[in-house]
Amino acid sequence: GITDTPYNATLTAIGGTPPYTWTASGLPAPLVIDPATGKITGTPTTASTTPVTITATAAGKAAALNTTLTIAPPNDIVAVGAGATDGVI
């Protein structure tokens, strides 16, 4: 993400029996996750690299992903995608 720019990401789960319930711990303020859709939204105002744990729960079973979320200043280049390493260059 980029500071002062709306952040929008929708997570996807594979397996289990929908519907999924989503939680996320460690999201930098003011990012929030919608527990019904897995959509993370908000407009971050501070640059940071933050460890985040995202959990999807379905039919009483949960799967968690530990990852890092980078919010960069607007003048940094952020590489994301196939063949790229997520992060700030």
Side-chain angles (χ1 to χ4, degrees), residues 8-24:
N8 234 331
T10 301
L11 305 173
T12 303
I14 299 171
T17 304
Y20 302 106
T21 301
W22 296 90
T23 60

Side-chain angles (χ1 to χ4, degrees), residues 58-71:
K61 296 183 180 179
L65 170 69
N66 294 311
T67 189
T68 302
L69 179 62
T70 298
I71 305 298

Side-chain angles (χ1 to χ4, degrees), residues 12-64:
T12 303
I14 299 171
T17 304
Y20 302 106
T21 301
W22 296 90
T23 60
S25 61
L27 288 175
L31 297 184
V32 295
I33 189 167
D34 181 315
T37 64
K39 187 173 187 175
I40 299 173
T41 59
T43 302
T45 58
T46 304
S48 66
T49 297
T50 308
V52 176
T53 300
I54 298 167
T55 304
T57 303
K61 296 183 180 179

